[in-house]
Amino acid sequence: MIARLSPRSALKSVTGREANVRTASITTLGVNLGATGLRMVIQAVLARWLGPAGYGKFSLLRGWGGLIGRLPDRGYNLALVRWLPQYQELAQGRSYRALVRHSVLQTFYNSVIITVAAMAVSAFVLGDTSAETMVGLTLIITGALSVTLRQVLQATYRYVLGVSLTELVQPLIFALLVLAFAFSVGKSVTATLVALTASGAIIIGFELVAVRSRLPVQRDESPAATDEWRAGTLAMYVGQLGIASQEVSYLLIVGAVLGSTQAALFTVAQRIAILARMGNSAVEAIIGPQLARLGRSGTGAREEMQEIVDRGIRLSTFFTGSACLALIIGSDFVLKVFGSEYADARSMLWVLLIGMILNALTGPTGYLVSMTGSEGIFGSVMVIHAIAGGALAWLVAVVFDSALGVAIVTAATTVSWNLVFVVIAGKRLGVWSFPGGRWLGRRLAAR
């Protein structure tokens, strides 16, 4: 019993290839809950300090930084999760180090180039040289690099560490910096963005130390092994951009068409809805590298993959369903935390929560397709949904003048691409990602 409760045993249960999915997911969920509670307090304070207009502007600038910040990695983020588990298992140290080094350096170089270009466009084309815009664009660098390093930790079964740094430690540092700036230079959008950028840079330093501490010994291998991952990064990059545009573009559309106040309401609804997604995200992040490892075995690993997917669906459905029910019942109270001005976001919040429930029921569909040799299909599906969803959201915002309509498009698009991936994974792998998928798979296999 003492051995089971020892720190070493506890660490093994949440890290490494043999980590317990349930324990690691619950640990990650616990970290996310604590982090989200901290983030909610921070965002509520910012919403009150800056007011709807100021908070909306802060959200839009952070949104643009987040969206453009997805450009630099060129598909390496998913490639890390796809190939690092294989290189680690086969002790291919040279391939491992080459992928990590190339991904991190190229992401950094590309993010600097894109940031400078974005600043130039803002200054010379749009005529916006404000300090808040320029500081907001630096989030491209810190956001891109931080996400890439966290993907390395996820791919090497250390997602709990990665999520603790980015979701718990960074908000704490950000809050301390915001308070320091508020007392020293006053409350402003610019000072808040500076604090966000600085906290991201500090977290990058911590992540680099964690990544370097586990780099394997470099061994002689064939060039083909080292370059294997290069062929799949473009399709993964396209898919990542599709996901990123869907995460951020709807907010940007609301801000561009309906104004910063409606953008603030939409942002609050999205941030609260993320509470319900945490359990689902935790489960998928833990089992993603396992699906990548089994993907090398093709149909021979179908039963094991189905078992992992079923377990993930049970956990994510429980976590997400419970959270959605609690948030729907307590939506008025939660919104009042941000201020009475945000009460009108309730309908948007309910719609987004319904989408979260349906998303949890379909399980890790994105990982199931992208990690098992169908990168091209993954990228195509995400881009099509990003374009169709963005066009429809823009049309709804313009014609109906409704942020609620954009929220409906957001939820419907997410449900749509998940259902498409369910069918693709079922037909190509024989793994069905929904409740009762194992039963259906066996019935079809028996025919």
Side-chain angles (χ1 to χ4, degrees), residues 2 21 26 29 34 74 121 143 145 162 187 200 221 231 240 242 251 268 287 315 331 412 427 447:
I2 294 176
V21 174
I26 292 175
L29 178 61
R74 294 178 57 190
V121 170
L145 198 53
K187 307 167 188 175
E221 299 159 22
Q240 285 178 205
L251 167 63
V268 169
I287 67 178
L315 289 171
S331 57
K427 290 185 175 181
R447 291 183 178 180

Side-chain angles (χ1 to χ4, degrees), residues 359-375:
N359 186 28
L361 289 172
T362 56
T365 55
Y367 278 116
L368 191 55
V369 173
S370 63
M371 296 291 109
T372 55
S374 300
E375 299 89 359

Side-chain angles (χ1 to χ4, degrees), residues 138-390:
T138 62
L139 293 172
I140 298 172
I141 300 174
T142 57
L145 198 53
S146 177
V147 169
T148 296
L149 290 168
R150 189 171 79 171
Q151 291 297 101
V152 177
L153 296 175
Q154 177 186 347
T156 52
Y157 308 100
R158 291 184 291 165
Y159 184 72
V160 174
L161 172 60
V163 78
S164 297
L165 289 174
T166 57
E167 301 301 324
L168 187 60
V169 179
Q170 182 176 0
L172 181 59
I173 296 174
F174 171 60
L176 294 175
L177 291 176
V178 167
L179 287 174
F181 290 152
F183 286 112
S184 59
V185 300
K187 307 167 188 175
S188 68
V189 174
T190 302
T192 305
L193 290 168
V194 170
L196 188 58
T197 302
S199 64
I202 293 172
I203 292 302
I204 288 171
F206 290 151
E207 290 176 319
L208 282 171
V209 172
V211 169
R212 287 178 60 88
S213 67
R214 294 286 186 90
L215 285 177
V217 176
Q218 182 166 319
R219 302 177 185 275
D220 292 332
E221 299 159 22
S222 66
T226 302
D227 297 334
E228 178 187 5
W229 50 268
R230 295 181 185 273
T233 55
L234 178 58
M236 290 182 168
Y237 183 47
V238 172
Q240 285 178 205
L241 293 182
I243 294 174
S245 64
Q246 291 183 68
E247 290 178 349
V248 182
S249 63
Y250 300 118
L251 167 63
L252 300 180
I253 289 170
V254 171
V257 178
L258 304 177
S260 59
T261 299
Q262 286 297 309
L265 296 177
F266 193 86
T267 298
V268 169
Q270 277 190 321
R271 287 203 159 270
I272 297 175
I274 287 175
L275 288 170
R277 195 180 68 184
M278 288 190 306
N280 192 28
S281 299
V283 173
E284 292 186 357
I286 297 299
I287 67 178
Q290 297 187 31
L291 294 176
R293 174 176 57 84
L294 293 172
R296 296 188 301 111
S297 303
T299 57
R302 186 186 67 81
E303 281 294 328
E304 189 174 353
M305 292 178 70
Q306 184 71 66
E307 182 181 350
I308 291 174
V309 168
D310 290 346
R311 190 184 312 136
I313 291 175
R314 288 194 297 269
L315 289 171
S316 61
T317 300
F318 173 76
F319 292 148
T320 302
S322 301
C324 284
L325 180 61
L327 289 172
I328 289 175
I329 293 174
S331 57
D332 290 336
F333 171 77
V334 176
L335 288 170
K336 286 180 181 178
V337 172
F338 286 83
S340 59
E341 306 94 332
Y342 298 93
D344 291 339
R346 184 178 65 173
S347 297
M348 288 184 278
L349 174 60
W350 283 21
V351 168
L352 294 175
L353 289 174
I354 292 173
M356 294 294 180
I357 295 175
L358 296 175
N359 186 28
L361 289 172
T362 56
T365 55
Y367 278 116
L368 191 55
V369 173
S370 63
M371 296 291 109
T372 55
S374 300
E375 299 89 359
I377 296 176
F378 171 75
S380 299
V381 170
M382 294 312 304
V383 166
I384 291 172
H385 277 79
I387 295 173

